[in-house]
Amino acid sequence: MLEPLEHEKILAAIELRNRKKLVNLAIFETIDSTNSFLLNSAKSGAASGSVCLAEQQTQGRGRRGRPWKSPLGANIYCSLLWRFSRISADKTGLSLAIAVMVLNALKKYGIENKIQLKWPNDILLNGRKLAGILLESSDPSNVIIGIGLNVMSTPEDENAACLAEVMNIIPMRNVVTGLLLNELLVQLDEFELNGLRSFVNEWRRHDMLFGKEVTVFFHDKTLKGVMRGIDEKGNLLLQTAKGEMQKFCYGEVSVRLN
Ligand code: BTN
């Protein structure tokens, strides 16, 4: 088991000027899902900047209705409630922007050059999944950003990577969590101002699928082609065998390397 999650240590890793944006930091020993907790809090009027962390989740959720394994004290399970200042704010590309925020926090922790992104928002280390992001909303004015980050591996996770495998020291969960929150608290404002524009180049620099042959799964169909990266809005671009460029939106499809 890693060091326990502690308010003071997490706050210490957040820059002073950003701490005021963090209005509530709830840490649970066990919870069903940190995202579910904040979805309920949002419905009862919780403020933007509310955070929920847990040592373990009994019903951790991943994208596409998958469960997210959440063993006790081994990883980071973190959710942040964010309320947009304008309900009409363009949220296109938010999930990709958040992936860049997680990437930047990991870089600040010293994990350089080894992180890649897989569309739309998986974070990979040495080709295996290090972190996943689940965005949910209780209404169009808010988003709950759920991040699951593997810190110590568990034996049954063959396709998962963890921070511990590339570090000489035991990773400090409190510091990593603080760095993650710091990045989100700064960059969500930037996203509201400029959208994906400020993040798209960094996303492209770490695009693991670029130029690779992939299969895209959508509705009941599949389509093979070569990944040509993302457009300015974060849509996936796939070049088919006929040479046509097809565009896919977030939420619509999943992608697999051939
Ligand atoms: C994915 O499928 O890649 C997304 C995984 C997101 C998991 C995190 S853990 C914290 C938060 N609470 C949840 O129930 N899910 C997210």
Side-chain angles (χ1 to χ4, degrees):
M1 170 131 170
L2 298 165
E3 52 160 8
L5 292 168
E6 282 177 54
H7 286 88
E8 290 310 313
K9 290 187 182 168
I10 294 168
L11 289 178
I14 300 179
E15 287 171 74
L16 261 182
R17 65 196 165 108
N18 300 326
R19 281 186 212 163
K20 59 179 185 300
K21 296 189 198 168
L22 194 151
V23 294
N24 185 25
L25 177 59
I27 304 180
F28 291 91
E29 178 74 10
T30 303
I31 199 164
D32 53 354
S33 150
T34 54
N35 262 34
S36 301
F37 177 82
L38 284 186
L39 273 170
N40 288 329
S41 314
K43 287 179 202 151
S44 348
S48 188
S50 298
V51 171
C52 177
L53 302 169
E55 293 286 2
Q56 104 180 307
Q57 299 183 114
T58 52
Q59 288 171 58
R61 290 199 300 274
R63 292 198 305 120
R64 313 176 76 78
R66 293 194 194 108
W68 185 258
K69 280 184 206 155
S70 310
L72 180 69
N75 302 314
I76 292 171
Y77 318 115
C78 170
S79 300
L80 166 71
L81 164 63
W82 192 258
R83 293 190 185 274
F84 295 99
S85 38
R86 286 174 298 114
I87 294 190
S88 61
D90 182 6
K91 292 156 201 121
T92 321
L94 177 63
S95 72
L96 282 83
I98 307 268
V100 173
M101 297 175 204
V102 174
L103 167 79
N104 286 338
L106 291 168
K107 280 188 177 171
K108 286 186 182 151
Y109 193 60
I111 316 287
E112 307 254 6
N113 304 328
K114 298 184 183 106
I115 308 281
Q116 287 181 301
L117 302 177
K118 178 170 172 269
W119 191 88
N121 58 12
D122 282 347
I123 290 127
L124 299 135
L125 178 66
N126 298 327
R128 283 170 291 122
K129 186 148 161 174
L130 177 68
I133 296 163
L134 177 67
L135 303 185
E136 298 180 299
S137 305
S138 69
D139 68 63
S141 68
N142 68 43
V143 62
I144 286 110
I145 300 160
I147 300 170
L149 194 152
N150 300 327
V151 180
M152 301 292 280
S153 71
T154 47
E156 67 267 30
D157 284 342
E158 281 163 27
N159 297 319
C162 69
L163 274 188
E165 70 184 56
V166 286
M167 300 200 64
N168 300 324
I169 53 159
I170 294 175
M172 316 278 273
R173 269 193 312 169
N174 289 302
V175 175
V176 178
T177 306
L179 291 174
L180 268 177
L181 292 173
N182 191 61
E183 204 63 29
L184 292 171
L185 294 169
V186 175
Q187 300 299 345
L188 282 163
D189 280 336
E190 173 61 29
F191 181 85
E192 278 202 65
L193 283 176
N194 293 314
L196 186 62
R197 208 173 317 144
S198 314
F199 303 90
V200 75
N201 287 339
E202 191 63 2
W203 201 97
R204 285 175 175 148
R205 263 196 285 280
H206 291 83
D207 181 356
M208 78 153 293
L209 294 177
F210 188 84
K212 303 243 165 70
E213 296 201 0
V214 298
T215 304
V216 170
F217 298 80
F218 59 110
H219 309 301
D220 294 336
K221 293 181 222 140
T222 61
L223 189 61
K224 286 186 194 297
V226 177
M227 255 293 273
R228 295 293 179 211
I230 54 169
D231 68 10
E232 298 301 312
K233 291 195 152 94
N235 296 310
L236 177 150
L237 301 172
L238 182 84
Q239 190 170 24
T240 64
K242 288 182 187 154
E244 289 163 359
M245 204 64 90
Q246 298 264 352
K247 204 186 263 191
F248 295 95
C249 304
Y250 171 69
E252 201 178 50
V253 296
S254 68
V255 196
R256 206 173 59 201
L257 256 180
N258 291 350

